[in-house]
């Protein structure tokens, strides 16, 4: 119910800024609206029965947030309570007015090894499996639709649901030695957190079929070649200091997040509507979003500075 209220608030504030089509797109953030509202409590309760680890959010003054998947003793696998945590962190990001960027990373040198297999074994009946899948589809769809530019910083392994999580970000940066692998077939599964639908849009259906059908290990070189990776970062040597990989990722992301928050957010919104809406609706949405930045502070400042684009 709380989540529904947040969403209503978001929709209201989006509509009042004359972005009706954008508001409708946000509304689509709930892939399964019944999951989002009425069944939410029941699913949350079931997921909370499998505790462990956490998903941590650090919002920085720069407008860049860091989301950390944190369960090192299980290679950052998602326990049930971490799925609920993730959804709550996404809600917090949805209501962050000054957001510009997000880095999604794993704790302790590895990204995420998918679902916690202990929880998977305990909820292996199809009904509960589908509810978990719908919950994660909703959370990850809302993550991808945030009005900010997101990047998955993949260090170590991103396996199964962890590989799916990388596709819910706008970009993927692979650290040297890292691997993204959709291991689902080896587990007698297919992606269920929306990872297949998103993968097809990122690498095309031929490559997606190869990656899923062959459970291919994607290293940084292959990642760049097929467009799954947007960049490769060298893992810094120990003497260079802790946290340096994250700093490198922040530097990389800053090329896209420099500038005023409303403009960065508008960039993401026009791209998202272009990708998700039919052309006529996307054009109308683009016009509405254009209206929110035209004559705005960043636009007026740029006009006053007589800048040349050399
Ligand atoms: C729709 C979602 C579908 C899914 O995500 S299904 C899950 C897909 N993921 C997997 O199957 C990953 C299975 N794990 C592995 O392959 C290996 O543990 C992995 C990640 C390559 C790491 O190998 P190693 O470096 O040799 O380390 P290790 O095996 O000793 O693991 C360290 C501890 O972490 C645990 N762990 C790793 N992945 C886990 C998982 N997904 N769920 C639950 N526990 C997991 C592992 O059991 C081990 O724990 P412990 O030290 O034996 O208590």
């Amino acid at each position: 119910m709380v989540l529904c209220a947040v969403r209503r608030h978001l929709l209201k504030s989006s509509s009042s800024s004359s972005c009706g089509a954008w508001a409708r797109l946000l509304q689509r953030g709930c892939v399964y609206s019944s999951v989002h509202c009425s069944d939410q409590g029941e699913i949350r309760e079931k997921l909370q029965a499998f505790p462990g680890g956490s998903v941590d959010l650090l919002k920085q003054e720069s407008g860049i947030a860091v989301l950390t998947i944190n369960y090192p003793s299980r290679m950052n696998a998602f326990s049930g309570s971490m799925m609920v945590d993730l959804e709550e962190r996404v809600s917090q990001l949805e209501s962050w007015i000054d957001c510009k960027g997000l880095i999604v990373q794993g704790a302790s040198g590895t990204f995420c090894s998918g679902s916690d297999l202990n929880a998977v074994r305990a909820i292996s009946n199809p009904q509960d499996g589908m509810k978990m899948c719908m919950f994660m589809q909703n959370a990850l769809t809302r993550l991808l639709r945030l009005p900010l530019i997101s990047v998955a910083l993949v260090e170590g392994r991103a396996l199964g649901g962890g590989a799916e999580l990388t596709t819910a970000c706008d970009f993927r940066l692979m650290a040297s030695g890292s691997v993204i692998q959709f291991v689902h077939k080896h587990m007698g599964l297919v992606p269920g957190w929306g990872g297949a639908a998103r993968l097809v849009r990122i690498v095309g259906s031929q490559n997606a079929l190869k990656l899923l059908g062959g459970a291919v290990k994607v290293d940084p070189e292959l990642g760049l070649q097929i467009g799954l990776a947007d960049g490769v970062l060298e893992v810094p040597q120990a003497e260079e200091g802790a946290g340096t990989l994250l700093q490198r990722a922040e530097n990389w992301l800053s090329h896209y997040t420099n500038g005023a928050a409303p403009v960065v957010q508008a960039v993401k919104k026009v791209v998202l509507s272009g990708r998700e809406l039919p052309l006529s609706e996307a054009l109308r949405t683009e016009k509405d979003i254009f209206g929110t930045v035209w004559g705005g502070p960043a636009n007026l400042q740029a006009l006053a500075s007589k800048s040349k684009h050399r």
Side-chain angles (χ1 to χ4, degrees), residues 2-310:
V2 173
L3 289 165
C4 294
V6 169
R7 184 153 295 278
R8 271 198 303 276
H9 165 75
L10 277 170
L11 292 174
K12 206 170 148 214
S13 48
S14 300
S15 310
S16 60
S17 62
S18 76
C19 274
W22 172 251
R24 284 195 296 282
L25 184 58
L26 248 188
Q27 208 159 19
R28 293 177 189 198
C30 304
V31 184
Y32 305 104
S33 51
S34 65
V35 172
H36 204 78
C37 296
S38 55
D39 292 348
Q40 190 78 16
E42 185 204 324
I43 298 172
R44 279 169 159 259
E45 210 172 296
K46 284 200 165 161
L47 291 172
Q48 294 283 21
F50 303 100
S54 61
V55 176
D56 309 321
L57 180 63
L58 174 69
K59 287 198 246 172
Q60 305 181 117
E61 267 186 33
S62 60
I64 311 291
V66 180
L67 188 75
T68 305
I69 315 302
N70 192 354
Y71 200 178
S73 62
R74 297 206 175 154
M75 308 294 280
N76 302 329
F78 264 91
S79 67
S81 63
M82 285 167 70
M83 294 180 192
V84 176
D85 268 10
L86 173 73
E87 201 249 11
E88 286 173 2
R89 302 297 161 256
V90 171
S91 292
Q92 288 168 2
L93 287 165
E94 282 173 339
S95 54
W96 190 20
I97 308 276
D98 299 319
C99 65
K100 296 203 284 183
L102 174 70
I103 297 175
V104 179
Q105 65 167 7
S108 304
T110 195
F111 189 74
C112 169
S113 65
S115 299
D116 182 338
L117 291 172
N118 304 297
V120 168
R121 279 181 205 107
I123 56 168
S124 59
N125 76 74
Q127 289 79 12
D128 284 348
M130 294 240 298
K131 282 181 186 165
M132 180 271 283
C133 141
M134 288 154 76
F135 185 90
M136 286 302 279
Q137 279 193 10
N138 269 345
L140 293 181
T141 301
R142 288 169 57 202
L143 176 67
L144 185 56
R145 288 178 178 168
L146 288 169
L148 49 69
I149 299 180
S150 57
V151 60
L153 171 57
V154 183
E155 192 182 6
R157 292 189 178 95
L159 303 181
E164 295 193 60
L165 172 60
T166 72
T167 64
C169 295
D170 298 312
F171 297 119
R172 280 144 296 283
L173 278 178
M174 293 184 75
S176 45
S178 65
V179 169
I180 299 177
Q181 188 180 12
F182 293 83
V183 295
H184 304 74
K185 195 176 161 219
H186 290 330
M187 304 295 298
L189 289 173
V190 291
W193 297 357
R198 291 187 297 267
L199 185 65
V200 167
R201 283 160 176 75
I202 296 167
V203 300
S205 61
Q206 289 300 105
N207 282 325
L209 194 56
K210 288 176 191 165
L211 296 193
L212 298 183
V216 175
K217 281 188 183 169
V218 181
D219 62 16
E221 193 187 354
L222 179 59
L224 282 179
Q225 196 187 316
I226 61 177
L228 185 59
D230 297 281
V232 177
L233 298 180
E234 285 304 313
V235 177
Q237 300 303 305
E239 63 270 18
E240 289 179 70
T244 321
L245 188 69
L246 181 59
Q247 282 161 11
R248 288 180 185 182
E250 292 204 44
N251 281 345
W252 187 92
L253 185 59
S254 69
H255 291 110
Y256 306 100
T257 54
N258 273 345
V263 181
V264 176
Q265 293 171 9
V267 168
K268 172 67 179 279
K269 289 176 184 178
V270 290
V271 172
L272 190 62
S273 64
R275 187 174 63 213
E276 297 207 8
L277 298 173
L279 182 61
S280 56
E281 213 182 325
L283 291 172
R284 274 197 300 276
T285 307
E286 187 172 310
K287 178 258 299 168
D288 289 344
I289 295 166
F290 177 78
T292 67
V293 287
W294 175 264
N299 180 222
L300 294 179
Q301 201 183 343
L303 291 172
S305 72
K306 297 182 187 162
S307 55
K308 285 192 181 186
H309 307 286
R310 282 189 287 204

